Amino acid sequence: MKKIMQLVMMAVVACFFAVGAGSVGQVEATALYTPATYWNGNANYPVAFTQAGVNRYVDLSSAKVEEQTENVEDNIKTAIFTYDVIMVNEQGVETSKFSYRTMIKFVGDEVSIFSARRNNDGWAQLSDRSFDQPQYNAAQILAEHFNINK
């Protein structure tokens, strides 16, 4: 019985691996990040990320499109944003403000987001996970705000 269970588990794992491996390298079109709330209900401050009671809001009044390009032939759109993010504690009090410079790039249905390195010495690609997620979400909010999309 134990041997049969091991074989069944191995078959299940193999199926999951086969399904997952088949999707590697394929990126499906997804909607841009949509904020769930706003600071004090003010649409000028959409939430980009929440963790441990601290909210990070994009200050849309500070946001600017620094540069925007479009290559219709290759289906590529790029925009560079500058903006502020306001951190707010559980009591709704602003604790700090950070300024960012971020690039979003649409190539067909794929979206890539980059952060300006210190001293504007190139770009570092951001992930939609871990400590990159607030800035990643903010770039998508700004793309939607300025109507820069696929």
Side-chain angles (χ1 to χ4, degrees):
M1 183 69 166
K2 186 176 178 183
K3 186 72 166 173
I4 291 172
M5 287 304 292
Q6 286 177 335
L7 290 172
V8 169
M9 291 303 294
M10 288 175 52
V12 169
V13 170
C15 287
F16 282 124
F17 179 75
V19 169
S23 64
V24 171
Q26 297 175 0
V27 177
E28 294 183 24
T30 57
L32 296 175
Y33 176 82
T34 303
T37 61
Y38 300 87
W39 188 18
N40 294 327
N42 184 338
N44 193 54
Y45 297 96
V47 68
F49 190 76
T50 300
Q51 183 178 35
V54 176
N55 295 303
R56 291 168 180 85
Y57 296 97
V58 178
D59 177 0
L60 295 179
S61 67
S62 71
K64 293 176 182 44
V65 178
E66 189 176 281
E67 182 181 324
Q68 183 177 351
T69 60
E70 183 172 5
N71 181 329
V72 176
E73 191 174 288
D74 294 330
N75 197 18
I76 299 171
K77 290 183 183 179
T78 304
I80 298 173
F81 306 109
T82 57
Y83 58 97
D84 293 336
V85 169
I86 298 171
M87 295 183 73
V88 177
N89 67 16
E90 293 173 328
Q91 292 75 35
V93 177
E94 177 180 336
T95 57
S96 54
K97 182 189 284 189
F98 299 94
S99 296
Y100 292 99
R101 185 168 181 252
T102 305
M103 175 173 53
I104 189 166
K105 185 174 187 175
F106 298 96
V107 180
D109 286 339
E110 293 185 34
V111 177
S112 299
I113 298 176
F114 304 85
S115 177
R117 291 188 175 141
R118 292 181 189 244
N119 301 322
N120 291 320
D121 184 25
W123 298 95
Q125 187 165 4
L126 299 176
S127 165
D128 64 349
R129 293 175 179 81
S130 74
F131 64 89
D132 290 343
Q133 192 170 4
Q135 193 173 1
Y136 189 92
N137 292 349
Q140 293 184 70
I141 290 169
L142 292 169
E144 184 73 27
H145 176 71
F146 289 112
N147 198 29
I148 300 167
N149 49 43
K150 303 171 212 163

